[in-house]
Structures are given as structure tokens and as C-alpha cells.
């Protein structure tokens, strides 16, 4: 069953077609990755899904219900959580307090201890957010999403600025969230090592729409994708 259906989404910025007839079906319980060169419209797509931006055309359908153009707080309340590239955590609160506040705000019953284990911060629960290393802040923000018990998580470059070991740990964390908790995940990434390690369906975006979908192996060997993406391995991370 589809959890999220995007059909023909289009968004223009002063004549620039940032998203141009984007369609994708996300099955309930699935893990999917979206890649594509800088500026191809990935973050704008997340803004359309989460209601930060209204599409000029097309539809966003969640659990069979059209939510196109709904305000962000209503969409969030449906159980769609989104992580931005820069962690939005409370620097002056402890790790545990951060999670408790997020859980309370959403009114969901979750085990804070379990989330602390998952995000690998069980032994750092009493550090303040500001004391965490960069990678740990990213994990805490994923924890804040989990505390809201979402059914769909959108991650925009969750490994930006991470070390190789942290990147791998993040891939493990995402797979656990998906497989053990059944949370549907759509992740935008630049890091191909991370994508390969995730081993999930991959969608390559170019100029606002999907160029190709397939497994990592299929995509890696595709001539069009190679020219677009793998031909330029030094793709810089988004600003
Ligand atoms: P990606 O995340 O794939 O790097 P973005 O979705 O951020 O790409 O951007 C797609 C295009 O839309 C880029 O050319 C970007 O400059 C432009 N863009 C994004 N957001 C805005 C905005 N709020 N106003 C004007 N142009 C924007
Ligand atoms: Mg982006």
C-alpha cells in the first residue's frame, strides 16, 4: 500500500522550474533514497511534501488523502517528520530533556530510554545539546523526530559533515528505524558510500524530476546516471 503518493509536482521560482512534474510512490514501511546533483530540486521537493512551500501544480497524497497545500503544522501532525541539514536542537538543554520536550509536545508515548539507545547517546543523556559532537547532534535530531512517533521520516542529507564511521553508524540507525519500527523513510543523500550501505531503492533526480529508479547496482551501471552523477564524484554538499 502507498503511504505517500507524489504526482506531477511542480514548483517555479521566478521562471526557474525547481521541481518539474515529479512523481513518486512511497510504499508503507519502505526505505527509499533520493540523489541528484546540487540544485536539482531535492530540498524543494521536501518543502512541497511538508507544506513549507505550496506546489504550482500536482498533488501530495498521504494515506490516500490529499494534503496538497496544507500548512506545515497540520502535515506534521499527520505523522510526517522532517530533518533539516542543520540540526535544530536545544543547545542549552540536556540530551534527555531535548527528547522529553519533543515527546511531550507531540503528545506521544515513547520510550526515551529506547530512543537514547537507538541514537547511540545512552551514555551521554546528561550532556547539553551544545556539548555534543557534530555527528551526535545530527543523531539527536533524528531522536527528536522519533520522539514524535512519526510514520514517515524525511531526512535531508543526514550525514553532512560526518566522519566515515559516523556515516556508517547513521546508515545503521536509519535501517533500524525502518526495519524494527516500521517507519517509512525517504532520505536525500550525496554520499554514495552511504547509499550503497543503505541498500534500498534509489531514485535519481535531475532538473526537477526523476531520471531513473532502481537498485544501487542498476543505477551505478546506468550510462545516463553515470554522466549526470557519477561522472562528477566531487559533488559538493548542499548549502
Ligand atoms: P537541491 O536540494 O537538490 O540542491 P534545491 O531544491 O535546494 O536543490 O534548489 C533547486 C533550485 O531552486 C535551485 O536552483 C535553487 O537555487 C532554487 N531555489 C530553492 N529554493 C528557492 C527559493 N525559496 N527561492 C528561489 N529559488 C529557490
Ligand atoms: Mg538540498
Amino acid at each position: 500500500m502507498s503511504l505517500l503518493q507524489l504526482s506531477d509536482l511542480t514548483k517555479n521560482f521566478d521562471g526557474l522550474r525547481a521541481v518539474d512534474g515529479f512523481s513518486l510512490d512511497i510504499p508503507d514501511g519502505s526505505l527509499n533514497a533520493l540523489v541528484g546533483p546540487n540544485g536539482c530540486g531535492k530540498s524543494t521537493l521536501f518543502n512541497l511534501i511538508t507544506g513549507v512551500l505550496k506546489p504550482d501544480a500536482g498533488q501530495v497524497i498521504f494515506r490516500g488523502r490529499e494534503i496538497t497545500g496544507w500548512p506545515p503544522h497540520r502535515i506534521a501532525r499527520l505523522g510526517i517528520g522532517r530533518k533539516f541539514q542543520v540540526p535544530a536542537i536545544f543547545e542549552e538543554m540536556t540530551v534527555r530533556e531535548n527528547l522529553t520536550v519533543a515527546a511531550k509536545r507531540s503528545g506521544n508515548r515513547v520510550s526515551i530510554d529506547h530512543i537514547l539507545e537507538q541514537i547511540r547517546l545512552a551514555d551521554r543523556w546528561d550532556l547539553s545539546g551544545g556539548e555534543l559532537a557534530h555527528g551526535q547532534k545530527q543523531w539527536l535530531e533524528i531522536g527528536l523526530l522519533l520522539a514524535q512517533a512519526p510514520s514517515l521520516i524525511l531526512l535531508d542529507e543526514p550525514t553532512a559533515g560526518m566522519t566515515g564511521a559516523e556515516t556508517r553508524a547513521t546508515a545503521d540507525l536509519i535501517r533500524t528505524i525502518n526495519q524494527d519500527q516500521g517507519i517509512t523513510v525517504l532520505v536525500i543523500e550525496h554520499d554514495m558510500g552511504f547509499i550503497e550501505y543503505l541498500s534500498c531503492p534509489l531514485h535519481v533526480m535531475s532538473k526537477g524530476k526523476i531520471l531513473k529508479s532502481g537498485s544501487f547496482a542498476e543505477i551505478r551501471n546506468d550510462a545516463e546516471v553515470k554522466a549526470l552523477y557519477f561522472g562528477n564524484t566531487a559533488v559538493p554538499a548542499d548549502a
Side-chain angles (χ1 to χ4, degrees):
M1 196 196 94
S2 279
L3 182 66
L4 181 72
Q5 292 164 276
L6 307 173
S7 77
D8 253 325
L9 280 177
T10 299
K11 182 68 187 176
N12 296 295
F13 294 119
D14 303 318
L16 167 82
R17 245 170 211 234
V19 174
D20 186 12
F22 186 100
S23 297
L24 181 63
D25 221 67
I26 304 283
D28 201 1
S30 66
L31 169 59
N32 284 268
L34 184 65
V35 302
N38 230 344
C40 74
K42 303 180 298 296
S43 296
T44 302
L45 181 78
F46 274 14
N47 286 332
L48 296 177
I49 297 170
T50 53
V52 173
L53 292 171
K54 283 191 208 301
D56 297 314
Q59 289 181 311
V60 180
I61 295 169
F62 185 70
R63 293 193 192 287
R65 176 188 204 181
E66 184 167 2
I67 61 166
T68 321
W70 280 25
H73 68 274
R74 278 188 73 200
I75 292 179
R77 231 185 284 141
L78 289 174
I80 300 180
R82 186 246 191 105
K83 187 198 170 308
F84 290 90
Q85 197 174 316
V86 179
I89 59 169
F90 298 107
E91 303 251 329
E92 66 290 350
M93 286 188 210
T94 67
V95 168
R96 180 180 280 280
E97 284 164 354
N98 265 276
L99 294 169
T100 308
V101 166
K104 244 187 214 146
R105 205 194 291 144
S106 68
N108 282 300
R109 284 233 201 129
V110 289
S111 161
I112 301 294
D113 288 330
H114 183 231
I115 295 173
L116 282 168
E117 291 282 332
Q118 277 191 308
I119 62 173
R120 294 160 190 260
L121 294 176
D123 58 350
R124 295 191 168 78
W125 64 272
D126 60 345
L127 288 187
S128 69
E131 286 175 288
L132 297 175
H134 173 76
Q136 294 170 336
K137 286 184 184 175
Q138 303 273 21
W139 294 339
L140 176 55
E141 206 196 351
I142 293 176
L144 297 183
L145 291 180
L146 294 174
Q148 295 163 58
S151 47
L152 172 66
I153 288 185
L154 306 172
L155 301 169
D156 198 344
E157 302 196 22
T159 71
M162 284 189 177
T163 64
E166 286 173 335
T167 296
R168 196 160 261 245
T170 303
D172 285 334
L173 169 59
I174 290 170
R175 290 204 307 200
T176 306
I177 290 170
N178 173 247
Q179 286 168 13
D180 297 355
Q181 283 175 253
I183 298 176
T184 306
V185 182
L186 177 59
V187 55
I188 290 174
E189 248 313 323
H190 269 292
D191 186 319
M192 278 300 144
F194 170 87
I195 298 275
E196 182 173 18
Y197 194 64
L198 271 186
S199 69
C200 68
L202 180 55
H203 310 278
V204 181
M205 192 170 174
S206 169
K207 296 185 180 145
K209 56 166 82 74
I210 289 189
L211 176 71
K212 219 119 236 182
S213 295
S215 67
F216 183 82
E218 287 164 349
I219 296 291
R220 157 179 261 170
N221 295 318
D222 184 275
E224 251 182 305
V225 175
K226 262 190 201 161
L228 171 81
Y229 199 78
F230 295 96
N232 177 14
T233 47
V235 183
D238 284 9

